[in-house]
Amino acid sequence: MAGNTISYSNAVQEIKDYLLVHDKVKDLLDDYLPAPTPGSNMEKMKQFFQSDKLSFIFKKDQVDQLFSTYTDANAIRIYFGLTSDSGTPEPTVIISACTITQDGSGNVTAAVNKSNTASGALAAKQYPRSLNPKSGYNQTNFDLIGDTL
């Protein structure tokens, strides 16, 4: 992971590229016939892409708690997921405390997720409440600075 920063213009472009792919998949799923069987993987996929979720907010105290639980952790690992807690599949993110090893160039060569070996519990937080982009944004006009709540 050399180079830990991204320019504003590159960040906006990468998010726009994601929105383009997301919208293309959503269009394909909208046109898919026959209609997906209720409860099927196709229905879950369609609902997931129809959600229009784009971002998550990580509260500092929740991230700090991961590091206070595992004081030898030196990074967090982010997993993309799908939650159906609301009944409708939506994107979610699971973050886990981990220990990374890097090579001389700063590239991550190994990552070990931290867990409480006594209980088998994983030091992880879930962010099930994903956020839609600001109303009216799409792959053409998305703006990172303007995407406020």
mmCIF file of all heavy atoms in Angstrom, residues 88-133:
data_model
loop_
_atom_site.group_PDB
_atom_site.id
_atom_site.type_symbol
_atom_site.label_atom_id
_atom_site.label_comp_id
_atom_site.label_asym_id
_atom_site.label_seq_id
_atom_site.Cartn_x
_atom_site.Cartn_y
_atom_site.Cartn_z
ATOM 1 N N THR A 88 -34.481 -6.002 3.955
ATOM 2 C CA THR A 88 -34.031 -5.776 2.583
ATOM 3 C C THR A 88 -32.514 -5.793 2.557
ATOM 4 O O THR A 88 -31.889 -5.066 3.332
ATOM 5 C CB THR A 88 -34.528 -4.411 2.059
ATOM 6 O OG1 THR A 88 -35.949 -4.386 2.129
ATOM 7 C CG2 THR A 88 -34.082 -4.168 0.630
ATOM 8 N N PRO A 89 -31.908 -6.620 1.718
ATOM 9 C CA PRO A 89 -30.452 -6.654 1.669
ATOM 10 C C PRO A 89 -29.841 -5.291 1.340
ATOM 11 O O PRO A 89 -30.293 -4.620 0.409
ATOM 12 C CB PRO A 89 -30.163 -7.660 0.552
ATOM 13 C CG PRO A 89 -31.371 -8.524 0.517
ATOM 14 C CD PRO A 89 -32.509 -7.603 0.824
ATOM 15 N N GLU A 90 -28.868 -4.884 2.137
ATOM 16 C CA GLU A 90 -28.166 -3.618 1.934
ATOM 17 C C GLU A 90 -26.680 -3.832 2.175
ATOM 18 O O GLU A 90 -26.284 -4.718 2.923
ATOM 19 C CB GLU A 90 -28.647 -2.557 2.928
ATOM 20 C CG GLU A 90 -30.034 -2.050 2.705
ATOM 21 C CD GLU A 90 -30.338 -0.850 3.605
ATOM 22 O OE1 GLU A 90 -29.669 -0.695 4.649
ATOM 23 O OE2 GLU A 90 -31.236 -0.085 3.253
ATOM 24 N N PRO A 91 -25.854 -2.971 1.571
ATOM 25 C CA PRO A 91 -24.412 -3.048 1.834
ATOM 26 C C PRO A 91 -24.120 -2.774 3.305
ATOM 27 O O PRO A 91 -24.812 -2.013 3.965
ATOM 28 C CB PRO A 91 -23.835 -1.922 0.968
ATOM 29 C CG PRO A 91 -24.879 -1.620 -0.045
ATOM 30 C CD PRO A 91 -26.188 -1.924 0.609
ATOM 31 N N THR A 92 -23.096 -3.408 3.817
ATOM 32 C CA THR A 92 -22.592 -3.126 5.155
ATOM 33 C C THR A 92 -21.076 -3.238 5.112
ATOM 34 O O THR A 92 -20.514 -3.689 4.110
ATOM 35 C CB THR A 92 -23.197 -4.087 6.209
ATOM 36 O OG1 THR A 92 -22.833 -3.625 7.514
ATOM 37 C CG2 THR A 92 -22.714 -5.505 6.035
ATOM 38 N N VAL A 93 -20.439 -2.807 6.164
ATOM 39 C CA VAL A 93 -18.990 -2.892 6.282
ATOM 40 C C VAL A 93 -18.678 -3.445 7.662
ATOM 41 O O VAL A 93 -19.275 -3.044 8.657
ATOM 42 C CB VAL A 93 -18.325 -1.505 6.106
ATOM 43 C CG1 VAL A 93 -16.837 -1.573 6.374
ATOM 44 C CG2 VAL A 93 -18.560 -0.969 4.708
ATOM 45 N N ILE A 94 -17.754 -4.387 7.711
ATOM 46 C CA ILE A 94 -17.245 -4.927 8.972
ATOM 47 C C ILE A 94 -15.782 -4.495 9.066
ATOM 48 O O ILE A 94 -15.020 -4.698 8.123
ATOM 49 C CB ILE A 94 -17.303 -6.471 8.995
ATOM 50 C CG1 ILE A 94 -18.694 -7.004 8.639
ATOM 51 C CG2 ILE A 94 -16.810 -7.005 10.334
ATOM 52 C CD1 ILE A 94 -19.780 -6.664 9.605
ATOM 53 N N ILE A 95 -15.422 -3.851 10.182
ATOM 54 C CA ILE A 95 -14.011 -3.502 10.365
ATOM 55 C C ILE A 95 -13.444 -4.340 11.499
ATOM 56 O O ILE A 95 -14.095 -4.551 12.509
ATOM 57 C CB ILE A 95 -13.769 -1.993 10.577
ATOM 58 C CG1 ILE A 95 -14.405 -1.493 11.862
ATOM 59 C CG2 ILE A 95 -14.256 -1.189 9.397
ATOM 60 C CD1 ILE A 95 -13.984 -0.094 12.221
ATOM 61 N N SER A 96 -12.253 -4.827 11.291
ATOM 62 C CA SER A 96 -11.596 -5.705 12.248
ATOM 63 C C SER A 96 -10.217 -5.149 12.571
ATOM 64 O O SER A 96 -9.499 -4.684 11.686
ATOM 65 C CB SER A 96 -11.459 -7.100 11.642
ATOM 66 O OG SER A 96 -10.701 -7.935 12.468
ATOM 67 N N ALA A 97 -9.865 -5.188 13.838
ATOM 68 C CA ALA A 97 -8.504 -4.827 14.231
ATOM 69 C C ALA A 97 -7.562 -5.916 13.723
ATOM 70 O O ALA A 97 -7.901 -7.095 13.728
ATOM 71 C CB ALA A 97 -8.406 -4.718 15.745
ATOM 72 N N CYS A 98 -6.400 -5.522 13.258
ATOM 73 C CA CYS A 98 -5.437 -6.508 12.771
ATOM 74 C C CYS A 98 -4.012 -6.029 13.011
ATOM 75 O O CYS A 98 -3.781 -4.873 13.365
ATOM 76 C CB CYS A 98 -5.664 -6.830 11.298
ATOM 77 S SG CYS A 98 -5.305 -5.494 10.148
ATOM 78 N N THR A 99 -3.093 -6.938 12.829
ATOM 79 C CA THR A 99 -1.670 -6.621 12.889
ATOM 80 C C THR A 99 -1.111 -6.854 11.497
ATOM 81 O O THR A 99 -1.321 -7.921 10.911
ATOM 82 C CB THR A 99 -0.942 -7.522 13.902
ATOM 83 O OG1 THR A 99 -1.546 -7.334 15.182
ATOM 84 C CG2 THR A 99 0.537 -7.182 13.977
ATOM 85 N N ILE A 100 -0.448 -5.831 10.971
ATOM 86 C CA ILE A 100 0.127 -5.966 9.634
ATOM 87 C C ILE A 100 1.646 -6.005 9.698
ATOM 88 O O ILE A 100 2.260 -5.494 10.632
ATOM 89 C CB ILE A 100 -0.323 -4.823 8.689
ATOM 90 C CG1 ILE A 100 0.119 -3.446 9.200
ATOM 91 C CG2 ILE A 100 -1.811 -4.881 8.451
ATOM 92 C CD1 ILE A 100 -0.071 -2.324 8.205
ATOM 93 N N THR A 101 2.219 -6.619 8.707
ATOM 94 C CA THR A 101 3.655 -6.633 8.490
ATOM 95 C C THR A 101 3.889 -5.976 7.146
ATOM 96 O O THR A 101 3.137 -6.212 6.193
ATOM 97 C CB THR A 101 4.196 -8.082 8.471
ATOM 98 O OG1 THR A 101 3.783 -8.724 9.677
ATOM 99 C CG2 THR A 101 5.704 -8.110 8.355
ATOM 100 N N GLN A 102 4.938 -5.139 7.059
ATOM 101 C CA GLN A 102 5.230 -4.421 5.824
ATOM 102 C C GLN A 102 6.645 -4.711 5.351
ATOM 103 O O GLN A 102 7.516 -5.017 6.159
ATOM 104 C CB GLN A 102 5.077 -2.915 6.046
ATOM 105 C CG GLN A 102 3.686 -2.498 6.504
ATOM 106 C CD GLN A 102 3.598 -1.011 6.753
ATOM 107 O OE1 GLN A 102 3.403 -0.253 5.822
ATOM 108 N NE2 GLN A 102 3.764 -0.605 8.006
ATOM 109 N N ASP A 103 6.839 -4.583 4.056
ATOM 110 C CA ASP A 103 8.187 -4.713 3.519
ATOM 111 C C ASP A 103 8.875 -3.349 3.576
ATOM 112 O O ASP A 103 8.301 -2.371 4.061
ATOM 113 C CB ASP A 103 8.174 -5.300 2.100
ATOM 114 C CG ASP A 103 7.499 -4.411 1.072
ATOM 115 O OD1 ASP A 103 7.303 -3.189 1.331
ATOM 116 O OD2 ASP A 103 7.154 -4.922 -0.011
ATOM 117 N N GLY A 104 10.092 -3.272 3.102
ATOM 118 C CA GLY A 104 10.866 -2.042 3.152
ATOM 119 C C GLY A 104 10.258 -0.880 2.389
ATOM 120 O O GLY A 104 10.574 0.276 2.645
ATOM 121 N N SER A 105 9.337 -1.164 1.452
ATOM 122 C CA SER A 105 8.685 -0.114 0.671
ATOM 123 C C SER A 105 7.354 0.321 1.278
ATOM 124 O O SER A 105 6.657 1.154 0.715
ATOM 125 C CB SER A 105 8.443 -0.595 -0.761
ATOM 126 O OG SER A 105 9.655 -0.911 -1.391
ATOM 127 N N GLY A 106 6.985 -0.279 2.391
ATOM 128 C CA GLY A 106 5.723 0.073 3.026
ATOM 129 C C GLY A 106 4.530 -0.720 2.530
ATOM 130 O O GLY A 106 3.397 -0.458 2.921
ATOM 131 N N ASN A 107 4.763 -1.705 1.669
ATOM 132 C CA ASN A 107 3.677 -2.547 1.182
ATOM 133 C C ASN A 107 3.312 -3.589 2.227
ATOM 134 O O ASN A 107 4.190 -4.199 2.834
ATOM 135 C CB ASN A 107 4.079 -3.254 -0.117
ATOM 136 C CG ASN A 107 4.400 -2.276 -1.217
ATOM 137 O OD1 ASN A 107 3.628 -1.368 -1.500
ATOM 138 N ND2 ASN A 107 5.566 -2.446 -1.830
ATOM 139 N N VAL A 108 2.018 -3.806 2.438
ATOM 140 C CA VAL A 108 1.569 -4.799 3.408
ATOM 141 C C VAL A 108 1.850 -6.193 2.852
ATOM 142 O O VAL A 108 1.439 -6.530 1.747
ATOM 143 C CB VAL A 108 0.066 -4.635 3.716
ATOM 144 C CG1 VAL A 108 -0.428 -5.754 4.623
ATOM 145 C CG2 VAL A 108 -0.206 -3.278 4.350
ATOM 146 N N THR A 109 2.570 -6.987 3.620
ATOM 147 C CA THR A 109 2.910 -8.345 3.188
ATOM 148 C C THR A 109 2.132 -9.410 3.955
ATOM 149 O O THR A 109 2.044 -10.549 3.524
ATOM 150 C CB THR A 109 4.417 -8.612 3.354
ATOM 151 O OG1 THR A 109 4.774 -8.413 4.730
ATOM 152 C CG2 THR A 109 5.235 -7.676 2.455
ATOM 153 N N ALA A 110 1.583 -9.031 5.112
ATOM 154 C CA ALA A 110 0.776 -9.972 5.899
ATOM 155 C C ALA A 110 -0.171 -9.184 6.786
ATOM 156 O O ALA A 110 0.150 -8.073 7.222
ATOM 157 C CB ALA A 110 1.666 -10.871 6.757
ATOM 158 N N ALA A 111 -1.356 -9.744 7.040
ATOM 159 C CA ALA A 111 -2.334 -9.139 7.945
ATOM 160 C C ALA A 111 -3.005 -10.257 8.721
ATOM 161 O O ALA A 111 -3.490 -11.223 8.129
ATOM 162 C CB ALA A 111 -3.359 -8.334 7.173
ATOM 163 N N VAL A 112 -2.994 -10.139 10.033
ATOM 164 C CA VAL A 112 -3.610 -11.142 10.899
ATOM 165 C C VAL A 112 -4.705 -10.455 11.706
ATOM 166 O O VAL A 112 -4.421 -9.519 12.471
ATOM 167 C CB VAL A 112 -2.570 -11.777 11.847
ATOM 168 C CG1 VAL A 112 -3.238 -12.765 12.790
ATOM 169 C CG2 VAL A 112 -1.454 -12.435 11.057
ATOM 170 N N ASN A 113 -5.958 -10.900 11.531
ATOM 171 C CA ASN A 113 -7.066 -10.320 12.290
ATOM 172 C C ASN A 113 -6.936 -10.692 13.753
ATOM 173 O O ASN A 113 -6.598 -11.818 14.089
ATOM 174 C CB ASN A 113 -8.408 -10.809 11.746
ATOM 175 C CG ASN A 113 -8.702 -10.251 10.369
ATOM 176 O OD1 ASN A 113 -8.095 -9.291 9.942
ATOM 177 N ND2 ASN A 113 -9.639 -10.861 9.685
ATOM 178 N N LYS A 114 -7.203 -9.726 14.633
ATOM 179 C CA LYS A 114 -7.099 -9.942 16.074
ATOM 180 C C LYS A 114 -8.375 -10.600 16.571
ATOM 181 O O LYS A 114 -9.470 -10.295 16.123
ATOM 182 C CB LYS A 114 -6.885 -8.619 16.811
ATOM 183 C CG LYS A 114 -5.680 -7.814 16.325
ATOM 184 C CD LYS A 114 -4.388 -8.598 16.331
ATOM 185 C CE LYS A 114 -3.859 -8.823 17.701
ATOM 186 N NZ LYS A 114 -2.576 -9.522 17.734
ATOM 187 N N SER A 115 -8.231 -11.504 17.515
ATOM 188 C CA SER A 115 -9.398 -12.131 18.130
ATOM 189 C C SER A 115 -9.072 -12.463 19.570
ATOM 190 O O SER A 115 -7.915 -12.573 19.957
ATOM 191 C CB SER A 115 -9.802 -13.393 17.376
ATOM 192 O OG SER A 115 -8.781 -14.373 17.481
ATOM 193 N N ASN A 116 -10.118 -12.600 20.369
ATOM 194 C CA ASN A 116 -9.962 -13.032 21.740
ATOM 195 C C ASN A 116 -9.911 -14.554 21.696
ATOM 196 O O ASN A 116 -10.938 -15.216 21.559
ATOM 197 C CB ASN A 116 -11.141 -12.538 22.583
ATOM 198 C CG ASN A 116 -11.039 -12.958 24.030
ATOM 199 O OD1 ASN A 116 -10.369 -13.931 24.353
ATOM 200 N ND2 ASN A 116 -11.703 -12.220 24.890
ATOM 201 N N THR A 117 -8.723 -15.116 21.783
ATOM 202 C CA THR A 117 -8.576 -16.564 21.627
ATOM 203 C C THR A 117 -9.300 -17.345 22.715
ATOM 204 O O THR A 117 -9.719 -18.469 22.491
ATOM 205 C CB THR A 117 -7.094 -16.965 21.596
ATOM 206 O OG1 THR A 117 -6.452 -16.430 22.761
ATOM 207 C CG2 THR A 117 -6.421 -16.430 20.350
ATOM 208 N N ALA A 118 -9.510 -16.737 23.875
ATOM 209 C CA ALA A 118 -10.209 -17.446 24.948
ATOM 210 C C ALA A 118 -11.687 -17.657 24.597
ATOM 211 O O ALA A 118 -12.249 -18.708 24.844
ATOM 212 C CB ALA A 118 -10.084 -16.674 26.251
ATOM 213 N N SER A 119 -12.299 -16.627 23.999
ATOM 214 C CA SER A 119 -13.723 -16.737 23.681
ATOM 215 C C SER A 119 -13.970 -16.997 22.201
ATOM 216 O O SER A 119 -15.087 -17.319 21.806
ATOM 217 C CB SER A 119 -14.448 -15.456 24.094
ATOM 218 O OG SER A 119 -14.048 -14.389 23.254
ATOM 219 N N GLY A 120 -12.935 -16.814 21.395
ATOM 220 C CA GLY A 120 -13.108 -16.950 19.957
ATOM 221 C C GLY A 120 -13.751 -15.729 19.322
ATOM 222 O O GLY A 120 -14.023 -15.703 18.133
ATOM 223 N N ALA A 121 -13.995 -14.684 20.124
ATOM 224 C CA ALA A 121 -14.640 -13.477 19.615
ATOM 225 C C ALA A 121 -13.669 -12.664 18.765
ATOM 226 O O ALA A 121 -12.482 -12.584 19.053
ATOM 227 C CB ALA A 121 -15.145 -12.625 20.776
ATOM 228 N N LEU A 122 -14.184 -12.085 17.724
ATOM 229 C CA LEU A 122 -13.394 -11.237 16.841
ATOM 230 C C LEU A 122 -13.591 -9.784 17.250
ATOM 231 O O LEU A 122 -14.711 -9.373 17.539
ATOM 232 C CB LEU A 122 -13.853 -11.442 15.387
ATOM 233 C CG LEU A 122 -13.145 -10.648 14.308
ATOM 234 C CD1 LEU A 122 -11.705 -11.141 14.163
ATOM 235 C CD2 LEU A 122 -13.872 -10.813 12.988
ATOM 236 N N ALA A 123 -12.520 -9.022 17.297
ATOM 237 C CA ALA A 123 -12.625 -7.595 17.608
ATOM 238 C C ALA A 123 -13.089 -6.874 16.349
ATOM 239 O O ALA A 123 -12.290 -6.427 15.549
ATOM 240 C CB ALA A 123 -11.280 -7.053 18.062
ATOM 241 N N ALA A 124 -14.380 -6.818 16.154
ATOM 242 C CA ALA A 124 -14.907 -6.230 14.928
ATOM 243 C C ALA A 124 -16.094 -5.338 15.241
ATOM 244 O O ALA A 124 -16.788 -5.520 16.233
ATOM 245 C CB ALA A 124 -15.323 -7.325 13.947
ATOM 246 N N LYS A 125 -16.323 -4.379 14.381
ATOM 247 C CA LYS A 125 -17.475 -3.483 14.469
ATOM 248 C C LYS A 125 -18.196 -3.541 13.142
ATOM 249 O O LYS A 125 -17.573 -3.628 12.081
ATOM 250 C CB LYS A 125 -17.043 -2.043 14.737
ATOM 251 C CG LYS A 125 -16.287 -1.831 16.029
ATOM 252 C CD LYS A 125 -17.196 -1.937 17.217
ATOM 253 C CE LYS A 125 -16.438 -1.689 18.502
ATOM 254 N NZ LYS A 125 -17.266 -1.903 19.677
ATOM 255 N N GLN A 126 -19.518 -3.476 13.196
ATOM 256 C CA GLN A 126 -20.299 -3.466 11.970
ATOM 257 C C GLN A 126 -20.922 -2.095 11.786
ATOM 258 O O GLN A 126 -21.368 -1.473 12.743
ATOM 259 C CB GLN A 126 -21.409 -4.520 12.005
ATOM 260 C CG GLN A 126 -22.182 -4.567 10.696
ATOM 261 C CD GLN A 126 -23.282 -5.610 10.702
ATOM 262 O OE1 GLN A 126 -23.729 -6.032 11.753
ATOM 263 N NE2 GLN A 126 -23.702 -6.012 9.524
ATOM 264 N N TYR A 127 -20.935 -1.644 10.566
ATOM 265 C CA TYR A 127 -21.549 -0.375 10.215
ATOM 266 C C TYR A 127 -22.688 -0.660 9.240
ATOM 267 O O TYR A 127 -22.552 -0.499 8.035
ATOM 268 C CB TYR A 127 -20.510 0.574 9.608
ATOM 269 C CG TYR A 127 -19.503 0.976 10.650
ATOM 270 C CD1 TYR A 127 -18.424 0.163 10.938
ATOM 271 C CD2 TYR A 127 -19.682 2.132 11.392
ATOM 272 C CE1 TYR A 127 -17.525 0.506 11.931
ATOM 273 C CE2 TYR A 127 -18.783 2.482 12.388
ATOM 274 C CZ TYR A 127 -17.707 1.665 12.643
ATOM 275 O OH TYR A 127 -16.826 1.993 13.629
ATOM 276 N N PRO A 128 -23.816 -1.127 9.786
ATOM 277 C CA PRO A 128 -24.903 -1.516 8.892
ATOM 278 C C PRO A 128 -25.648 -0.345 8.271
ATOM 279 O O PRO A 128 -26.332 -0.507 7.289
ATOM 280 C CB PRO A 128 -25.830 -2.306 9.812
ATOM 281 C CG PRO A 128 -25.581 -1.739 11.162
ATOM 282 C CD PRO A 128 -24.138 -1.345 11.174
ATOM 283 N N ARG A 129 -25.530 0.826 8.847
ATOM 284 C CA ARG A 129 -26.254 1.980 8.320
ATOM 285 C C ARG A 129 -25.418 2.700 7.269
ATOM 286 O O ARG A 129 -24.692 3.626 7.557
ATOM 287 C CB ARG A 129 -26.617 2.942 9.442
ATOM 288 C CG ARG A 129 -27.523 2.336 10.468
ATOM 289 C CD ARG A 129 -28.947 2.365 9.970
ATOM 290 N NE ARG A 129 -29.810 1.786 10.986
ATOM 291 C CZ ARG A 129 -30.914 1.143 10.700
ATOM 292 N NH1 ARG A 129 -31.287 0.994 9.454
ATOM 293 N NH2 ARG A 129 -31.659 0.649 11.657
ATOM 294 N N SER A 130 -25.528 2.235 6.064
ATOM 295 C CA SER A 130 -24.802 2.906 4.990
ATOM 296 C C SER A 130 -25.613 4.111 4.539
ATOM 297 O O SER A 130 -26.808 4.216 4.814
ATOM 298 C CB SER A 130 -24.541 1.940 3.838
ATOM 299 O OG SER A 130 -25.724 1.261 3.488
ATOM 300 N N LEU A 131 -24.944 5.035 3.878
ATOM 301 C CA LEU A 131 -25.569 6.298 3.499
ATOM 302 C C LEU A 131 -25.674 6.433 1.992
ATOM 303 O O LEU A 131 -24.755 6.076 1.258
ATOM 304 C CB LEU A 131 -24.744 7.464 4.043
ATOM 305 C CG LEU A 131 -24.507 7.468 5.557
ATOM 306 C CD1 LEU A 131 -23.524 8.560 5.926
ATOM 307 C CD2 LEU A 131 -25.814 7.656 6.299
ATOM 308 N N ASN A 132 -26.789 6.971 1.561
ATOM 309 C CA ASN A 132 -26.951 7.301 0.150
ATOM 310 C C ASN A 132 -26.107 8.535 -0.157
ATOM 311 O O ASN A 132 -25.897 9.371 0.723
ATOM 312 C CB ASN A 132 -28.410 7.638 -0.171
ATOM 313 C CG ASN A 132 -29.322 6.439 -0.090
ATOM 314 O OD1 ASN A 132 -28.874 5.305 -0.098
ATOM 315 N ND2 ASN A 132 -30.599 6.697 0.004
ATOM 316 N N PRO A 133 -25.660 8.677 -1.401
ATOM 317 C CA PRO A 133 -25.013 9.934 -1.746
ATOM 318 C C PRO A 133 -26.052 11.054 -1.714
ATOM 319 O O PRO A 133 -27.255 10.791 -1.722
ATOM 320 C CB PRO A 133 -24.484 9.696 -3.159
ATOM 321 C CG PRO A 133 -25.334 8.613 -3.708
ATOM 322 C CD PRO A 133 -25.744 7.772 -2.547
#
